[in-house]
Amino acid sequence: IKPSELHRRKNMDFLQNIASKIFKPDKAKLAARMKYEFEQLEVDKYNRFIISYVKDALEDYITVVLTEKYLKSISGIQNNVRVEFRICVDMRYPESAPMVYCYDSFCFPSLADGRNLFPDIAKTAWEPRSTIMELIYKIPAFLEEALDLLSTNKCALIGSYQVNSRYNLFDFVQLPCVKIFECFDNNIGYGRLIILSDFNILIINYDEKNPEHGYLKMWATIPCIRNISREKNDPDHVMLLLKKGNRPSIELDLFLGNSSDFLKAVEERI
């Protein structure tokens, strides 16, 4: 590691340590803020979307369902489809931005694959004084822009995943376009999930303390897959080569119990 890189990492560790002390979870403060946010929710006078506040066993969230009338007014949307976005917050809200996910496959490649769409919807940096209602009003414009990007094969420019972030694995089970494969890594000693969407491949390590959650180790787009093969003497050992542009290639060793299904799913997506 170069000295400059080592210095940068030490600075990042220091800043993260300070941030964890400054932004300690305050459930009462969060509850009060969410109550305020709920009071700010209003009916769209143009009848473009319907908002609901959902109290779930795992976490509360806000759903935004675009109306059939509005969907018929924009090009690129098939008839009789449902388009739902879900807005979630963590314990650091409102200091940290909300997350926005799509939960319906209304286009191809599908946006309902766990990617966070907040940056593309908001267009500006989140500030604690910003409100979720302000964000909701930007969703229709985002949808039209996203459809334009999808029509020109620029799906990779929409949304992102956060490496090392904690994900609720049940959320992926609910998504219509993903396929989930379980594998075991002898080097790290615990299980992993390989998640394939229409356009992305995600590798998530189980949270040992809470197996319903996991941490995203890495992700890549399907076009980054340059080579895929199986070990001759161990067909469940799959080797994956990922490369993007001039970046160094990444080799992955995956030990799958259903490697044939995995290879078929990858081939379909390629």
Side-chain angles (χ1 to χ4, degrees), residues 7-260:
H7 179 70
R8 185 188 70 81
R9 293 187 185 184
K10 286 183 177 180
N11 283 340
M12 288 300 297
D13 291 340
F14 173 75
L15 292 173
Q16 289 175 358
N17 185 41
I18 293 295
S20 64
K21 293 179 180 178
I22 294 175
F23 302 121
K24 289 183 177 180
D26 187 336
K27 292 184 178 181
K29 181 180 178 181
L30 177 61
R33 174 58 187 252
M34 291 309 295
K35 181 177 181 296
Y36 168 76
E37 292 280 7
F38 183 70
E39 292 170 349
Q40 300 303 307
L41 299 180
E42 58 189 37
V43 177
D44 178 35
K45 63 180 180 180
Y46 300 108
N47 193 28
R48 294 171 299 177
F49 48 76
I50 299 172
I51 306 171
S52 302
Y53 185 83
V54 180
K55 295 189 71 68
D56 187 72
L58 297 175
E59 61 180 355
D60 297 350
Y61 55 87
I62 292 172
T63 64
V64 180
V65 179
L66 299 176
T67 63
E68 184 179 355
K69 177 182 177 182
Y70 170 69
L71 292 176
K72 287 181 178 180
S73 69
I74 60 177
S75 60
I77 292 284
Q78 298 178 353
N79 293 330
N80 302 318
V81 298
R82 186 176 188 273
V83 180
E84 175 188 329
F85 294 90
R86 187 173 297 183
I87 302 174
C88 308
V89 301
D90 60 22
M91 291 301 298
R92 296 172 299 169
Y93 185 81
E95 279 75 21
S96 66
M99 290 78 71
V100 185
Y101 305 102
C102 181
Y103 271 76
D104 289 299
S105 290
F106 59 89
C107 58
F108 183 87
S110 176
L111 298 179
D113 57 4
R115 69 181 87 179
N116 182 12
L117 302 171
F118 168 80
D120 300 84
I121 296 174
K123 298 291 188 185
T124 57
W126 176 262
E127 297 182 4
R129 67 172 181 268
S130 303
T131 66
I132 290 176
M133 194 64 224
E134 293 171 355
L135 181 65
I136 291 174
Y137 274 124
K138 296 180 179 181
I139 288 178
F142 158 78
L143 178 61
E144 296 181 32
E145 181 180 332
L147 290 171
D148 287 339
L149 289 173
L150 289 170
S151 67
T152 55
N153 199 27
K154 295 180 180 178
C155 175
L157 301 178
I158 308 172
S160 65
Y161 303 94
Q162 189 67 38
V163 175
N164 295 325
S165 289
R166 191 166 181 259
Y167 283 82
N168 183 347
L169 301 180
F170 182 70
D171 286 342
F172 288 104
V173 176
Q174 299 180 75
L175 299 175
C177 79
V178 305
K179 288 193 174 182
I180 302 174
F181 301 88
E182 194 165 21
C183 66
F184 187 86
D185 192 324
N186 292 320
N187 296 319
I188 60 177
Y190 52 85
R192 281 180 174 168
L193 287 181
I194 311 299
I195 297 177
L196 287 177
S197 70
D198 288 341
F199 196 75
N200 298 304
I201 177 171
L202 287 72
I203 298 180
I204 295 181
N205 291 344
Y206 278 115
D207 183 345
E208 292 180 306
K209 296 180 180 179
N210 186 351
E212 294 180 352
H213 292 79
Y215 291 91
L216 181 64
K217 180 185 178 183
M218 64 161 292
W219 69 281
T221 62
I222 297 295
C224 289
I225 299 177
R226 298 301 174 88
N227 189 50
I228 186 167
S229 60
R230 281 200 288 198
E231 183 69 37
K232 184 177 181 180
N233 298 323
D234 184 5
D236 287 335
H237 180 190
V238 176
M239 294 156 288
L240 209 63
L241 179 68
L242 303 173
K243 185 171 177 61
K244 181 178 181 180
N246 296 323
R247 298 178 184 177
S249 59
I250 298 174
E251 295 182 1
L252 297 176
D253 287 314
L254 308 176
F255 299 88
L256 297 146
N258 51 352
S259 59
S260 296

